Amino acid sequence: MNLIRLLLALIVTMTILPLSAMSLRYAADMTFDYNEINDEIALYQLREILLIAYDMEVGSNQLFFNYQNDDFRLSLVNRKLILQPGTQIFLNDIDSLYFYEKNDSIHLCYQRQDKSHDTILCSSDRFYIDRFSACDVSDDELDRSEE
């Protein structure tokens, strides 16, 4: 009985071995563009920043906004999409890019190696918490009688 199981396992293995070798050969010939995967990860991180950004101004090749009470600029520098001040690189090896507004959202269109990519970065209709504040807190002083 053990000999039959061993022979059966050997036959199954010998049958599957050419198929697995052929599939590995096809998989080895596939080319992967890791830039697209890296771009999606970087654009996701950029969208998190732009989610809480204020006062966005769209230029043709620059995006200006206020983030954490500082003015920032997103632009193409040396074929890289860079957030300044400082240097936070989001996209590499970009041939050209431009920002535009369409349907209440800000889009980024960039080109790399004759391939064009168009993606939505954020909504241009921003939500401001200050609009919903009912009290004036600029000159508020502590009232000792309320203690």
Side-chain angles (χ1 to χ4, degrees):
M1 187 71 171
N2 285 337
L3 183 61
I4 294 173
R5 288 183 184 172
L6 182 62
L7 287 174
L8 187 60
L10 187 60
I11 290 171
V12 169
T13 304
M14 294 304 288
T15 306
I16 293 177
L17 189 61
L19 292 173
S20 62
M22 189 176 9
S23 66
L24 288 175
R25 186 178 68 217
Y26 286 130
D29 291 339
M30 291 178 138
T31 58
F32 293 102
D33 188 11
Y34 291 105
N35 283 331
E36 289 184 20
I37 296 168
N38 291 335
D39 289 352
E40 288 301 318
I41 294 170
L43 289 173
Y44 178 78
Q45 293 171 344
L46 179 60
R47 286 183 189 112
E48 284 181 346
I49 292 172
L50 294 176
L51 182 65
I52 56 175
Y54 289 94
D55 301 331
M56 292 191 184
E57 294 178 25
V58 178
S60 62
N61 58 359
Q62 292 184 343
L63 177 65
F64 299 96
F65 58 92
N66 192 327
Y67 173 68
Q68 295 181 342
N69 296 326
D70 286 328
D71 293 326
F72 283 87
R73 178 180 71 230
L74 195 60
S75 61
L76 180 68
V77 177
N78 294 330
R79 299 187 65 204
K80 294 172 177 53
L81 180 63
I82 293 180
L83 180 64
Q84 295 172 324
T87 306
Q88 187 171 357
I89 300 172
F90 286 99
L91 301 174
N92 286 317
D93 300 327
I94 301 298
D95 297 327
S96 66
L97 70 82
Y98 61 92
F99 297 95
Y100 66 96
E101 289 187 67
K102 180 180 175 185
N103 298 333
D104 292 332
S105 42
I106 298 174
H107 293 250
L108 168 66
C109 183
Y110 63 96
Q111 190 171 27
R112 176 189 290 133
Q113 298 173 352
D114 298 326
K115 191 173 181 182
S116 182
H117 305 273
D118 192 359
T119 184
I120 296 176
L121 289 179
C122 62
S123 172
S124 59
D125 186 27
R126 306 306 296 172
F127 173 76
Y128 296 100
I129 293 178
D130 293 342
R131 290 182 188 164
F132 300 99
S133 178
C135 61
D136 185 18
V137 295
S138 61
D139 295 329
D140 235 4
E141 292 183 16
L142 183 61
D143 189 8
R144 298 284 181 199
S145 64
E146 292 180 354
E147 292 180 356

